[in-house]
Amino acid sequence: MSGPYTLALLPGDGVGVEVVAQARRVLEAVAHHDRIDLRFDEIPGGAQYFLEHGHDWPEDAERRCADADAILLGAIGWPSSDGHGTAMRPDGKMAGWSAIVGNRIGLDLYANIRPVKLLPGVRHLISGTHKQVWSPENVDMVFIRENTEDLYSGSGGILAPGGDAQVAIDTRIITRRSTERIIRLAFETALKRGGAPTDGKRRVTCVVKDNILHGCRMFVRIFEELGAEYPTVQREVVLVDAFTQWLVRRPEQYDVVVAPNMFGDIITELASALQGGMGMSVGCNVGTRHGMFEPIHGSAPKHVGRNRVNPIATVLAAAEASDGSLSSAGDRIEAAVRTVVSKGQTLTYDLVGPEVAASTSAVTTAIIDELELVHP
């Protein structure tokens, strides 16, 4: 690696600030031990910043994100000042929009990649009880979601004659260009993996609602066209409503899953339950030249300042942000997390319950301790 590696930090709102600080501790530790020239550019912003300053983030924030080698995002979103819903901007977008959706569009982060892998030692919180529901050998898939259009394209509005909202319109946009590149990425990803746990076969599952929606029909046509170029990869098309129950009943069937933006957003939240919850789940927003990495959980206002939220998703997001020039550091971080989870001695309430839970900072310290046991 020539020159320093610069990571833009966008802590955002609520517990996002806390978990990004913990991920920074881990990155600083691995950089020190591996003698990596790692530099941070911390950029304030988010809904709370908007409520205080009247804009989402500083004027130069967009450029600083573009200049960084990678971006680590915490969480965006905060309750409105009147206590009714999420804080919004006058233009109808959520406060803090620039840091999350704006970056996705402005930096052309067209793919949202979410690895769903169950680590040994994780128990699932089901009906208030932690138990082993799925086996680690059966949960190992990657979701690839289109990230810039669909219902999140911002096309639509509200008709409010006399100030009284009467009609709300959200227009779903599906384009060939965006569909082609996300589907091709799915097949290319399948070629690099070892196949689905159930049979070891490389497989791409396309999740749509093509029996109803025109955009999904075009998505499927392009899926079949491009899929023909990958004869060693099986392909299947499933309806999103049916997929939700198959995902939890037979996760071992799935290898790579590709979906339009809105459906992909929903099914990946469900998939997080397979790996232990949102405190273990990473979202990678990637494009040709830029990448932004984040835990998929929100800002969780009720947990702010309590030193209790799970930092592992953010630490793993930091490991993903270290890919490429710092891939060995990222691998070591992931290995340290695996060890801490498998030991089961220092984990947060969402994984073990409040009675025996460790604090956020204690989990981070345990990860750092594992990093320091093995030098590169």
Side-chain angles (χ1 to χ4, degrees):
M1 182 180 66
S2 59
Y5 188 91
T6 301
L7 186 62
L9 302 179
L10 298 175
D13 298 305
V15 300
V17 177
E18 300 174 20
V19 293
V20 166
Q22 299 303 316
R24 179 170 181 164
R25 287 179 59 201
V26 174
L27 288 168
E28 288 174 337
V30 77
H32 173 74
H33 287 285
D34 293 6
R35 295 186 175 91
I36 296 170
D37 188 1
L38 177 61
R39 303 182 185 180
F40 300 98
D41 181 14
E42 185 162 330
I43 305 170
Q48 291 172 286
Y49 189 94
F50 175 85
L51 292 173
E52 182 177 351
H53 300 279
H55 46 271
D56 286 345
W57 55 4
E59 290 184 3
D60 62 349
E62 187 174 350
R63 174 193 58 77
R64 290 159 66 183
C65 287
D67 288 345
D69 292 291
I71 304 164
L72 181 63
L73 173 68
I76 299 296
W78 199 251
S80 64
S81 55
D82 61 8
H84 297 289
T86 301
M88 305 295 289
R89 304 190 323 194
D91 61 2
K93 294 182 173 66
M94 63 177 286
W97 181 93
S98 302
I100 181 166
V101 183
N103 259 346
R104 290 176 179 178
I105 296 173
L107 299 177
D108 196 23
L109 308 179
Y110 68 87
N112 185 289
I113 303 173
R114 292 190 180 180
V116 175
K117 188 173 182 65
L118 176 59
L119 300 182
V122 171
R123 293 183 299 158
H124 303 91
L125 179 58
I126 301 294
S127 298
T129 304
H130 288 89
K131 61 187 72 174
Q132 186 76 55
V133 180
W134 297 277
S135 300
E137 64 269 17
N138 288 336
V139 180
D140 185 0
M141 67 193 84
V142 175
F143 284 76
I144 298 182
R145 156 193 165 199
E146 199 288 318
N147 207 33
T148 60
E149 53 182 38
D150 200 333
L151 286 173
Y152 297 160
S153 62
S155 179
I158 293 178
L159 300 179
D164 185 16
Q166 298 292 322
V167 179
I169 300 171
D170 295 293
T171 302
R172 187 171 188 247
I173 296 176
I174 305 291
T175 67
R176 173 169 284 274
R177 175 177 178 268
S178 293
T179 301
E180 284 181 345
R181 60 183 181 175
I182 199 69
I183 288 175
R184 188 171 295 281
L185 177 61
F187 281 103
E188 292 291 335
T189 300
L191 290 178
K192 300 174 184 177
R193 287 173 48 83
T198 187
D199 54 14
K201 293 183 179 179
R202 294 185 174 95
R203 181 179 297 113
V204 178
T205 301
C206 178
V207 180
V208 287
K209 190 69 174 174
D210 61 326
N211 60 336
I212 300 292
L213 301 174
H214 294 294
C216 284
R217 290 172 189 150
M218 186 174 80
F219 200 92
V220 170
R221 285 198 299 271
I222 296 170
F223 176 75
E224 297 293 356
E225 290 171 10
L226 294 182
E229 301 178 17
Y230 299 86
T232 62
V233 180
Q234 290 186 354
R235 59 186 186 270
E236 63 177 353
V237 177
V238 299
L239 296 179
V240 62
D241 43 355
F243 176 79
T244 57
Q245 58 105 11
W246 289 337
L247 176 64
V248 297
R249 291 177 59 188
R250 54 178 197 185
E252 66 275 7
Q253 168 73 17
Y254 300 108
D255 179 21
V256 176
V257 179
V258 66
N261 199 344
M262 184 64 178
F263 292 155
D265 191 9
I266 295 169
I267 60 179
T268 49
E269 297 285 315
L270 174 60
S272 72
L274 299 174
Q275 60 187 133
M278 288 191 287
M280 300 294 294
S281 304
V282 177
C284 309
N285 306 276
V286 300
T288 304
R289 296 180 299 275
H290 303 281
M292 181 172 69
F293 306 85
E294 60 180 318
I296 73 170
H297 61 68
S299 60
K302 68 179 181 180
H303 294 307
V304 172
R306 300 176 65 185
N307 194 24
R308 71 191 304 262
V309 297
N310 190 344
I312 289 179
T314 314
V315 170
L316 290 174
E320 295 285 355
S322 303
D323 198 9
S325 300
L326 306 181
S327 58
S328 62
D331 290 343
R332 291 184 61 229
I333 292 172
E334 291 179 0
V337 168
R338 283 176 172 272
T339 301
V340 170
V341 172
S342 66
K343 288 181 176 180
Q345 299 170 351
T346 313
L347 298 173
T348 46
Y349 76 97
D350 54 315
L351 297 179
V352 296
E355 296 82 7
V356 295
S359 66
T360 305
S361 54
V363 174
T364 306
T365 298
I367 294 170
I368 293 172
D369 288 344
E370 292 297 334
L371 281 171
E372 294 177 345
L373 290 175
V374 181
H375 290 263

